[in-house]
Amino acid sequence: MITSKHFGKTDGRDVSLYTLKNSDGFEVSITNYGGAIVSLLAPDRNGTFADVVLGFDTLEEYVRNPLYFGPLIGRYANRIARGKFSLDGVEYQLTQNDGVNHLHGGFRGFDKRVWTVNDETSESSPMLRLEYLSADGEEGYPGNLRANVTYALIGNELRINYEATTDRATIVNLTN
C-alpha cells in the first residue's frame, strides 16, 4: 500500500511525502524532494515498532539541511578534489561547495531537486520509483544523465535500486 500527502512547495513545485506500508506494519516514508527517507518504522526483536532513521518533520528543514540526512546524492558521492576531473581529454570544472572541493553533486545536487514520481506498486509489494534528468552542464557536469531510484518493501526489508544512464550507456545499476 502507498499513500501520499502534501509535504510543501519549493521552486514553485509541489512536494509530497509517500508512505509505503506492508501488511506486517513495516513502513517507510520518502519525499520526492531529494528522494529523502524521512522515516522508517521497523520492529525490534520484541516486535515493537520504532522510527530508526534521522529525518526532519518539514520540507523547509530538508531545503536548509546541510548534513544530507537521508537524501539521494549525486551525480557523484564523496569529494572531488578542487572540483576538477578530466574525461576523454577534456577537463571539467565543477561547482566548489566544500571549500575548494566538490561534494555530493554540488550546491544543488540530487538532494536538492524535486524528482518525478512513478507509483509501481505490485500485488506483492509496494514500490515507488523516482526519476530525475540531470541536464548537461548542471553543477558543471558534462552530458545528460537520467537517474532512476526504486524503493520497494519486500517482506520486512527496504530495497533500493539505483540506475543511471547517459545517452551513451548505463553508468551504474546497484541494489542495496
Side-chain angles (χ1 to χ4, degrees), residues 10 19 25 27 30 47 49 56 72 76 79 95 98 100 111 121 158 164:
T10 187
T19 301
E27 74 177 52
I30 302 156
F49 283 84
F56 296 116
L72 301 169
Y76 185 82
R79 287 170 183 80
T95 58
D98 182 45
V100 298
D111 62 306
T121 299
L158 172 61

Side-chain angles (χ1 to χ4, degrees), residues 50-158:
D51 188 355
V52 296
V53 299
L54 293 173
F56 296 116
D57 295 326
T58 68
L59 174 61
E60 293 75 25
E61 290 170 297
Y62 281 98
V63 170
R64 292 189 317 261
N65 176 16
L67 303 175
Y68 303 97
F69 280 1
L72 301 169
I73 55 174
R75 286 189 186 190
Y76 185 82
N78 209 339
R79 287 170 183 80
I80 296 176
R82 296 175 305 286
K84 294 180 183 180
F85 72 94
S86 293
L87 179 65
D88 296 331
V90 177
E91 186 171 279
Y92 293 92
Q93 178 63 60
L94 306 175
T95 58
Q96 295 170 308
N97 63 322
D98 182 45
V100 298
N101 302 311
H102 177 84
L103 178 65
H104 296 330
F107 289 109
R108 292 205 62 224
F110 290 177
D111 62 306
K112 300 294 184 204
R113 305 293 179 166
V114 179
W115 291 58
T116 301
V117 175
N118 288 307
D119 178 345
E120 292 192 353
T121 299
S122 70
E123 289 183 22
S124 61
S125 62
M127 291 185 285
L128 182 73
R129 182 179 172 102
L130 299 181
E131 300 175 349
Y132 179 69
L133 174 62
S134 178
D136 180 36
E138 185 176 283
E139 297 293 318
Y141 286 97
N144 292 323
L145 179 92
R146 183 168 303 281
N148 297 293
V149 180
T150 303
Y151 303 84
L153 291 187
I154 309 295
N156 281 343
E157 294 179 16
L158 172 61

Side-chain angles (χ1 to χ4, degrees), residues 11-68:
D11 296 331
R13 296 186 62 191
D14 287 324
V15 174
S16 296
L17 184 65
Y18 298 85
T19 301
L20 290 67
K21 186 173 184 177
N22 70 14
S23 59
D24 295 328
F26 189 87
E27 74 177 52
V28 61
S29 293
I30 302 156
T31 178
N32 63 318
Y33 180 75
I37 296 174
V38 174
S39 68
L40 177 66
L41 296 179
D44 65 14
R45 67 179 121 175
N46 298 317
T48 303
F49 283 84
D51 188 355
V52 296
V53 299
L54 293 173
F56 296 116
D57 295 326
T58 68
L59 174 61
E60 293 75 25
E61 290 170 297
Y62 281 98
V63 170
R64 292 189 317 261
N65 176 16
L67 303 175
Y68 303 97

